Amino acid sequence: MTGIPSLRGLQAVEAAARCGSFVAASEELAISAAAVSQLIRTLEDQVGRKLFHRINRRVVLTEAGLEIFPRLANAFNELRSVSRELGSGNQRSSLVVSVAPSVAMGWLSSRLPGFVDIHGPVDISLRGEDDPVPFDRDLIDMRLSYGAFHYPEHVTEAIGTDAVYPVCSPRFLTGHGPMTSPESLLSAPLIHTDWGPAGASFPSWRNWFASAGVTPGRHIQRGMTANSSMAALDLARGGLGITLAQGLFCARHVEAGELVVACNHVLDLANPYCITTPRRSAQRSVVAAFKSWFIEECLRCVNAPALLASKVQR
């Protein structure tokens, strides 16, 4: 074919692919589902290629559809951004940030007021989810991940390598006596974190002991188990045992005296924290500002003096 196909049809394709159905796309575009279907069918006739498989009430992109969708998503996201800017001089910036659930619930959510104080009002959609995430479908502007291997199709930047620290409450440490070596933790109540499939490469207590040259018995599997870093930290703050915590999460509590590092043996994580930013978002000023602030906040925790002082030469 020659010329540009129907822009309205392209918009219908982008919305249907992102929403997963003609009905959801019709609600977003304020037209009927039948009109969405007709727009897409007309576009398919124009280009001579089928773009969707219709499966019950859902639609799935064909190979041809998958080829064009990333560029369509970028184009219409940019158009929406321009429209917002033209619509009102007082229009607030918007930002979609994706992080792991523990980062969203217990770490980033408590720090966002600091960013708003610096940057001004901004509409932030904070998503707590595991890798991989659908950047284009959900118009995600930035993603914090553990490791740089998740999104080779996008620009990913390593920002720092964290470590896990054996931490407990001061009251717990007083009640169980000094713990001057990794061996002294073998008889202490340990709190475990079940990272789940997304965090399978995070170290366990067995890994921590092995890195210290200690071979623990099967009994170290006993004790409490939490399915998130923040829940494990809450158990430790309550005096129920010692947990392995990333510096990202425990720095503030150690600095406040709510937790102490029980033993000066620290295990570095195998991979760095990384920020992924799709090209469609990289040039937006609010994304650049948030990224700079976010990296600073991460590094402030990872490199907290209260934690670095507990590291031993190894």
Side-chain angles (χ1 to χ4, degrees):
M1 65 168 290
T2 60
I4 300 175
S6 164
L7 291 177
R8 190 62 167 161
L10 291 173
Q11 184 183 28
V13 169
E14 189 273 340
R18 177 164 42 80
C19 297
S21 75
F22 290 169
V23 172
S26 72
E27 293 173 356
E28 179 176 305
L29 299 177
I31 59 178
S32 69
V36 171
S37 179
Q38 183 59 46
L39 283 168
I40 292 174
R41 186 174 294 107
T42 299
L43 182 66
E44 290 175 328
D45 291 340
Q46 287 179 319
V47 300
R49 304 180 74 180
K50 190 175 180 65
L51 301 176
F52 286 100
H53 295 298
R54 280 75 168 176
I55 304 174
N56 295 325
R57 297 184 178 181
R58 303 284 297 171
V59 289
V60 178
L61 286 168
T62 63
E63 184 176 347
L66 289 170
E67 288 178 3
I68 67 168
F69 176 66
R71 285 177 291 171
L72 272 183
N74 290 344
F76 279 101
N77 186 55
E78 183 63 21
L79 286 173
R80 282 187 286 266
S81 178
V82 170
S83 178
R84 286 194 297 267
E85 291 177 10
L86 292 175
S88 170
N90 297 320
Q91 182 68 42
R92 289 154 62 107
S93 299
S94 63
L95 189 64
V96 181
V97 179
S98 174
V99 295
S102 287
V103 178
M105 292 183 293
W107 188 83
L108 182 53
S109 57
S110 65
R111 286 169 168 78
L112 282 178
F115 175 73
V116 174
D117 287 343
I118 296 170
H119 185 273
V122 55
D123 293 330
I124 299 176
S125 175
L126 177 57
R127 303 169 58 93
E129 52 198 346
D130 293 323
D131 291 301
V133 298
F135 274 91
D136 293 324
R137 190 194 73 188
D138 294 340
L139 300 178
I140 293 169
D141 293 304
M142 200 188 79
R143 166 71 182 176
L144 177 72
S145 299
Y146 174 65
F149 38 79
H150 299 286
Y151 307 103
E153 70 277 21
H154 295 298
V155 178
T156 297
E157 174 185 350
I159 62 174
T161 301
D162 204 350
V164 289
Y165 300 80
V167 295
C168 62
S169 70
R171 176 167 58 90
F172 178 89
L173 191 62
T174 299
H176 287 77
M179 299 181 186
T180 57
S181 67
E183 289 86 352
S184 61
L185 272 66
L186 285 171
S187 59
L190 303 179
I191 299 169
H192 305 271
T193 304
D194 179 8
W195 307 107
S201 59
F202 277 94
S204 65
W205 272 111
R206 191 170 295 279
N207 299 137
W208 184 86
F209 280 114
S211 70
V214 177
T215 303
R218 295 180 61 183
H219 69 279
I220 68 157
Q221 296 301 119
R222 300 171 184 167
M224 294 192 172
T225 300
N227 68 349
S228 77
S229 302
M230 302 311 296
L233 275 177
D234 285 342
L235 293 175
R237 290 166 61 199
L240 296 175
I242 308 171
T243 191
L244 287 176
Q246 302 102 302
L248 185 71
F249 296 135
C250 70
R252 178 173 60 183
H253 302 296
V254 173
E255 290 172 334
E258 300 171 348
L259 291 171
V260 295
V261 179
C263 170
N264 287 347
H265 177 72
V266 177
L267 177 58
D268 289 329
L269 295 180
N271 297 293
Y273 294 128
C274 295
I275 285 183
T276 300
T277 309
R279 289 179 177 83
R280 59 174 161 74
S281 301
Q283 302 305 314
R284 296 182 60 211
S285 59
V286 67
V287 174
F290 188 88
K291 178 180 176 182
S292 176
W293 171 84
F294 189 73
I295 290 175
E296 184 178 341
E297 289 295 312
C298 289
L299 293 180
R300 181 180 291 125
C301 293
V302 171
N303 298 323
L307 294 178
L308 297 182
S310 68
K311 287 192 173 185
V312 297
Q313 297 296 320
R314 34 187 210 287

